[in-house]
Amino acid sequence: SEWISKFESDADGADPTGWTVISAGDGASTHVNVYSESTIRSGGAQRANGSFPIVGQGQVVELYDTSGPTDNYRAGISRTFGGASGYSRGYVEFKIAKYATTELGQIKLYNASSTLFYTMEFNGSGNITGDLLGAGAAETYLSGYSANRWYKVRITWDVSATGASADKWNVWIDGVHKGTLNATDVNDCAGIAKIDIATEETTTGSVYVDDVSIVPLAPSDPIAIVSDDTIVGSVGSDPTPPWTVSETGSAPVSISTDAVYDTTNPNTGAGNMIKMADADGSNLCSISRQIASSTTTDLRKGYLEFKIRKSNVTNLFSATLTDTGVGSFTVEFDASGNIVGKGTSS
């Protein structure tokens, strides 16, 4: 079943509950602790200072490592799951941030025999890379990253096929699909059963982790996210297909940009976004897209995920999922500051 760790019930300064702590070394050079926002913002030799974007995250895990290349110590957390064989289909999701780009943070996934199958690394050059066993190449570039910024990562796998079939791995960073990796089963992986999140032995610094989910998926569950992974089009223009734009009067739809990351405001830092600006209060603007044909069965299970920011409470916004011939479900941000759900049937 799904397992989630938000670290909110752990004592400030304690080890994270449900995890095995990786803190090999002399004790002074490495530690792993849960800290509250106020504790981290207080600064100190082993914590970040007030510029760290911890706003709204509550308690997080700090992986602190100043051992350097001569000691080769690590600071991290580890957890096993899935019983004797692990999960043949599933995903891990977490939030991660680094105080600087100089230290390395690594996420490693193993099978039940502790054989490493996938490594994601936030390296010392400001890049996020992935390394899949059997992919025939070394690290694959996934994305750039910046210090003092939270990233939401999801790694999915389907290793249910055996022999010469391909294992399927997908990575999403902040909701953007960063590619599918298919690897021939060099060492056949029956399932993923362990995750490590840790610093790397040869570098120093702090890595922060929060909101970790470990989720198994049934054979009928969709493992891919059907999404507009990147908002395509020019700033100031309509988003391109597969989005369909509807706008009348003074209610234009356009692509906007928010390139500046404000560490005190969690609403910024989204990059390009779709802006729906209703200036006259009498016309509508919207975007829509079809995510499956009427005969598709793959999306009988799934979810819709999106980010939204409203300029005020009084304007209304709604998101609707429609099942042709069955009905619809709408989530509405109403004019009273409430988020409500509405279902209809046909």
Side-chain angles (χ1 to χ4, degrees):
S1 60
E2 181 176 1
W3 186 82
I4 300 174
S5 183
K6 292 182 176 291
F7 311 107
E8 296 304 310
S9 60
D10 293 322
D12 194 3
D15 291 347
T17 302
W19 294 87
T20 298
V21 170
I22 305 169
S23 189
D26 57 15
S29 62
T30 63
H31 76 231
V32 176
N33 293 105
V34 175
Y35 287 125
S36 65
E37 176 180 332
S38 59
T39 298
I40 292 178
R41 284 194 169 278
S42 69
Q46 298 179 351
R47 291 183 288 276
N49 61 25
S51 68
F52 189 76
I54 199 69
V55 175
Q57 279 300 123
Q59 298 196 152
V60 302
V61 175
E62 180 184 66
L63 313 177
Y64 173 81
D65 180 5
T66 60
S67 62
T70 58
D71 295 330
N72 290 330
Y73 300 143
R74 289 200 306 155
I77 52 177
S78 176
R79 181 175 174 87
T80 58
F81 50 88
S85 300
Y87 298 144
S88 62
R89 303 177 82 247
Y91 66 84
V92 295
E93 186 173 88
F94 52 89
K95 292 180 180 177
I96 186 169
K98 294 174 61 182
Y99 186 52
T101 57
T102 51
E103 76 275 3
L104 276 69
Q106 295 179 327
I107 300 90
K108 297 183 177 183
L109 297 175
Y110 303 80
N111 70 0
S113 301
S114 295
T115 300
L116 177 63
F117 274 84
Y118 186 82
T119 300
M120 173 182 281
E121 182 171 275
F122 284 67
N123 69 22
S125 302
N127 298 320
I128 306 172
T129 62
D131 186 1
L132 180 60
L133 178 69
E139 297 175 346
T140 300
Y141 172 84
L142 298 171
S143 174
Y145 77 94
S146 301
N148 293 335
R149 187 191 191 286
W150 285 105
Y151 291 89
K152 184 178 181 180
V153 176
R154 175 178 290 202
I155 306 171
T156 71
W157 65 86
D158 183 350
V159 296
S160 55
T162 58
S165 299
D167 292 343
K168 299 177 178 64
W169 298 74
N170 287 271
V171 176
W172 284 265
I173 300 174
D174 286 342
V176 178
H177 186 216
K178 294 300 181 179
T180 300
L181 294 174
N182 295 330
T184 300
D185 292 328
V186 176
N187 293 317
D188 187 31
C189 182
I192 296 301
K194 179 183 175 182
I195 181 173
D196 286 356
I197 306 176
T199 61
E200 195 267 346
E201 293 93 335
T202 61
T203 58
T204 64
S206 295
V207 176
Y208 294 86
V209 181
D210 200 10
D211 297 347
V212 183
S213 298
I214 302 171
V215 182
L217 295 174
S220 59
D221 292 339
I223 202 164
I225 298 176
V226 179
S227 66
D228 186 31
D229 299 329
T230 52
I231 298 172
V232 179
S234 302
V235 173
S237 301
D238 290 349
T240 61
W243 290 107
T244 299
V245 174
S246 176
E247 53 191 348
T248 56
S250 299
V253 176
S254 62
I255 295 177
S256 181
T257 185
D258 184 4
V260 178
Y261 187 81
D262 181 352
T263 60
T264 63
N265 188 343
N267 286 333
T268 58
N272 282 2
M273 65 189 75
I274 298 175
K275 179 180 180 181
M276 290 174 278
D278 186 350
D280 56 20
S282 59
N283 294 291
L284 298 176
C285 55
S286 68
I287 56 173
S288 63
R289 65 172 290 176
Q290 182 173 319
I291 59 176
S293 67
S294 59
T295 59
T296 297
T297 59
D298 290 343
L299 296 181
R300 289 180 179 177
K301 293 183 179 180
Y303 63 88
L304 172 68
E305 182 177 80
F306 56 90
K307 293 180 180 178
I308 175 176
R309 182 176 71 194
K310 293 177 62 181
S311 60
N312 57 64
V313 175
T314 55
N315 63 327
L316 276 68
F317 167 85
S318 63
T320 301
L321 283 173
T322 302
D323 187 350
T324 304
V326 176
S328 64
F329 181 79
T330 298
V331 174
E332 182 178 276
F333 289 66
D334 68 18
S336 301
N338 300 313
I339 304 173
V340 297
K342 302 176 180 180
T344 64
S345 60
S346 58

